Amino acid sequence: MRKPQRYSFTTFDPALGEAGFRPFLPLTLTYGEQSLLANGLLDTGATVNVLPYQLGLELGVVWDKLTTSLQLTGNLAQFEARVVVLEAKVSDFEPVRLVFAWTQADNVPLILGQVNFFMEFDVCFYRSQLSFEVCYKKDV
Amino acid sequence: MTMTELMPMLRSLSRAEKLHVMQCLVSDLAQDESDLLRQNMSYPIWSPYDAFGAADTMLKVLAAENSSHA
């Protein structure tokens, strides 16, 4: 059984001070033969995972080959989205299939939400220590 | 002025002066935090909140893919 992996919160704008720190998780996404390393924002308030448009293109996903359209909410509602399933590897945990809403929006982070990131991984946030722990569900 | 130069000066202050400095700094920090959000500005929230229809569709697609890979 693998032990939980601990990560630090990350800030991309020191000018924001303490408020600028966010829980970004490094993970490898794979689609077919194409893989890339990305940082996903752990967003427990997000109902679903969201893949930004450019990231999907870099993975070789072809928009016209995806047949299931989605209606997202909030500011993402104005952009078309389609369903894509990727393989994701976090640390040395087993690879898992993560389903994403691939949005045509680009100025949005890679979002890891309830469906289905938090269904596959247990996460404990230690915000006061600017860190979080991730554990694969099957290792619990 | 560096921290190395500043700290001895701060330590030489009276107790009341030290408390006053702390209060000023805490107030400035609080003001910095509130300045992050300004009036009459919109701040887009990208999180897909309450997207239950999308979630249902996505879980069905995932289940179908998992069955075909099994």
Side-chain angles (χ1 to χ4, degrees):
Chain A
M1 182 177 121
R2 276 150 295 222
K3 59 180 184 177
Q5 292 297 301
R6 194 140 177 158
Y7 299 87
S8 296
F9 275 56
T10 310
T11 183
F12 292 98
D13 187 353
L16 295 174
E18 175 99 8
F21 284 89
R22 298 283 184 270
F24 279 95
L25 176 71
L27 75 170
T28 301
L29 297 175
T30 301
Y31 183 77
E33 302 294 318
Q34 196 68 29
S35 289
L36 57 79
L37 181 64
N39 290 301
L41 176 65
L42 298 183
D43 186 352
T44 57
T47 312
V48 298
N49 302 326
V50 176
L51 180 71
Y53 191 64
Q54 185 57 36
L55 219 51
L57 292 181
E58 288 176 31
L59 281 165
V61 190
V62 179
W63 183 262
D64 292 336
K65 288 191 175 170
L66 300 179
T67 55
T68 309
S69 289
L70 292 171
Q71 178 64 57
L72 293 180
T73 52
N75 283 289
L76 287 169
Q78 60 189 291
F79 298 96
E80 266 201 79
R82 292 187 180 175
V83 183
V84 64
V85 179
L86 306 177
E87 184 182 270
K89 191 153 185 345
V90 175
S91 184
D92 61 349
F93 298 125
E94 272 181 55
V96 295
R97 280 204 191 90
L98 293 184
V99 62
F100 284 87
W102 185 26
T103 175
Q104 290 205 323
D106 245 333
N107 50 346
V108 57
L110 175 67
I111 295 176
L112 302 174
Q114 296 295 332
V115 172
N116 63 326
F117 179 81
F118 288 102
M119 294 167 71
E120 294 294 327
F121 294 94
D122 290 331
V123 181
C124 196
F125 295 93
Y126 302 96
R127 179 58 172 88
S128 64
Q129 300 168 41
L130 292 177
S131 69
F132 60 95
E133 271 183 0
V134 178
C135 191
Y136 181 46
K137 66 175 183 183
K138 289 190 179 161
D139 288 341
V140 172
Chain B
M1 183 180 280
T2 64
M3 282 293 286
T4 312
E5 290 164 334
L6 187 59
M7 288 306 290
M9 291 173 64
L10 289 172
R11 289 205 168 98
S12 68
L13 295 173
S14 68
R15 180 178 166 78
E17 286 169 331
K18 284 176 184 172
L19 285 169
H20 184 66
V21 166
M22 281 171 54
Q23 283 169 345
C24 288
L25 289 175
V26 167
S27 174
D28 285 353
L29 287 169
Q31 185 61 40
D32 286 347
E33 296 275 313
S34 67
D35 281 348
L36 294 175
L37 294 174
R38 298 178 200 281
Q39 281 189 346
N40 303 317
M41 292 279 295
S42 63
Y43 295 88
I45 304 296
W46 294 104
S47 185
Y49 179 71
D50 279 357
F52 301 122
D56 186 55
T57 302
M58 287 164 70
L59 285 171
K60 285 180 173 131
V61 169
L62 184 63
E65 281 228 3
N66 286 340
S67 302
S68 67
H69 279 96

